[in-house]
Amino acid sequence: MSLLLDNQFKELPPDKSVDTKLFLETVSHIPAFFDCLGSSVFSVIKSDINGNITKIRGVYLKDPAKYVTLQDILVAEREAHAAEWPKVGATLALMWLKRGLRFIQILLQSLADGDRDENNPNLIQVNVTKAYQQALKKYHGWFVQRIFQVALHAAPYRSNFLKALSKGEEVKEEDCLANVRQFLVNYTATVDAIYEMYTNLNAELDYTV
Ligand code: 0SG
């Protein structure tokens, strides 16, 4: 069975609200995946994403009935921390987490679309760079861009990456990519909905780290 399909995102309701509990349950499976990628450079990324999830979960668990949707959290924090918001609490953690999720979405979509370096068809640097340029680069100063370059060199071969997505099983590339496409349906809708929420609430910031 595919790692992705084991941990699929749920279909959104018509109002595109994202259920906090379901969201946290699903994204909590992502950090473990970094362990399959081999290089220790991925532990920096894993710990950043883990930190975001822990922070959002911490706020949610203070009052699950109040924070049913992710929007409930943003609206409550806007009222509670008017001066600092949106650079505060779970609003800040989700702002960064969604960028990592967008990175993963673009990377998987690029693999599913068959983007590849014809001279090095078993490398995924083309796909990783596309995802980085679209999702993260503009938020990174020179130092973090250097970390990205190190991570890029440590990126696994395409065949190993697809194998990791298939939980280490030998699965035909086309079958694995079919699973990726299926996973991306609800995943993309969820990431898009979170981005839309940040735009609608005027909660997006564009500073660099
Ligand atoms: C398969 C190959 C994959 C290659 C992957 C390359 C990915 C790019 C690597 C970039 C390196 C990122 C290293 C970490 C950078 C972090 O500094 C930034 C900013 O972090 C935020 O800073 C924190 O996340 C916030 O934490 S919070 O929860 O407490 O709110 C906060 O600390 C904030 C600063 O706060 S402020 O000072 O403004 O108050 N993080 C990122 O850029 C996100 C990186 C996500 C990468 C996702 C990669 C996924 C790869 C998947 C592979 C399948």
Side-chain angles (χ1 to χ4, degrees):
M1 192 38 173
S2 157
L3 188 74
L4 295 173
L5 296 187
D6 283 354
N7 303 301
Q8 282 223 62
F9 282 64
K10 299 283 177 287
E11 191 178 344
L12 292 182
D15 67 0
K16 294 192 198 166
S17 60
V18 182
D19 182 282
T20 311
K21 184 165 184 267
L22 289 177
F23 175 77
L24 286 169
E25 275 168 13
T26 316
V27 293
S28 67
H29 295 286
I30 292 176
F33 181 68
F34 289 96
D35 299 334
C36 320
L37 295 180
S39 169
S40 57
V41 68
F42 296 114
S43 60
V44 179
I45 302 167
K46 178 183 175 181
S47 114
D48 194 61
I49 291 185
N50 251 332
N52 299 148
I53 297 170
T54 302
K55 199 168 250 185
I56 301 164
R57 187 186 293 112
V59 171
Y60 170 70
L61 290 176
K62 278 186 197 151
D63 194 343
K66 182 177 173 189
Y67 302 128
V68 173
T69 67
L70 293 176
Q71 178 149 331
D72 293 331
I73 297 182
L74 265 66
V75 170
E77 289 193 335
R78 184 177 59 185
E79 283 167 17
H81 311 280
E84 310 104 291
W85 195 85
K87 207 173 184 182
V88 68
T91 305
L92 177 66
L94 182 61
M95 186 189 305
W96 281 100
L97 178 61
K98 76 180 183 1
R99 293 170 183 164
L101 296 179
R102 181 71 100 199
F103 174 94
I104 293 169
Q105 175 206 329
I106 297 169
L107 171 60
L108 293 177
Q109 188 67 61
S110 174
L111 290 166
D113 290 345
D115 295 340
R116 62 167 89 200
D117 175 351
E118 294 305 336
N119 295 322
N120 299 289
N122 201 24
L123 298 185
I124 61 170
Q125 269 72 6
V126 159
N127 317 87
V128 173
T129 301
K130 179 179 185 177
Y132 184 68
Q133 284 172 346
Q134 292 185 19
L136 289 169
K137 189 176 179 187
K138 75 174 195 171
Y139 306 108
H140 289 165
W142 69 270
F143 181 72
V144 181
Q145 289 191 24
R146 286 288 300 269
I147 300 177
F148 167 71
Q149 291 301 333
V150 175
L152 184 64
H153 282 105
Y157 288 112
R158 176 190 174 88
S159 49
N160 290 344
F161 185 69
L162 295 180
K163 191 173 172 185
L165 289 179
S166 308
K167 296 203 291 193
E169 291 163 22
E170 291 295 347
V171 174
K172 278 196 217 142
E173 179 171 321
E174 253 331 293
D175 293 340
C176 183
L177 292 178
N179 288 337
V180 168
R181 287 186 197 98
Q182 192 182 330
F183 171 81
L184 280 170
V185 175
N186 290 341
Y187 181 83
T188 302
T190 302
V191 177
D192 284 350
I194 297 172
Y195 268 81
E196 211 175 305
M197 174 176 74
Y198 271 76
T199 302
N200 292 341
L201 295 176
N202 207 12
E204 186 65 60
L205 297 174
D206 61 2
Y207 65 94
T208 55
V209 289

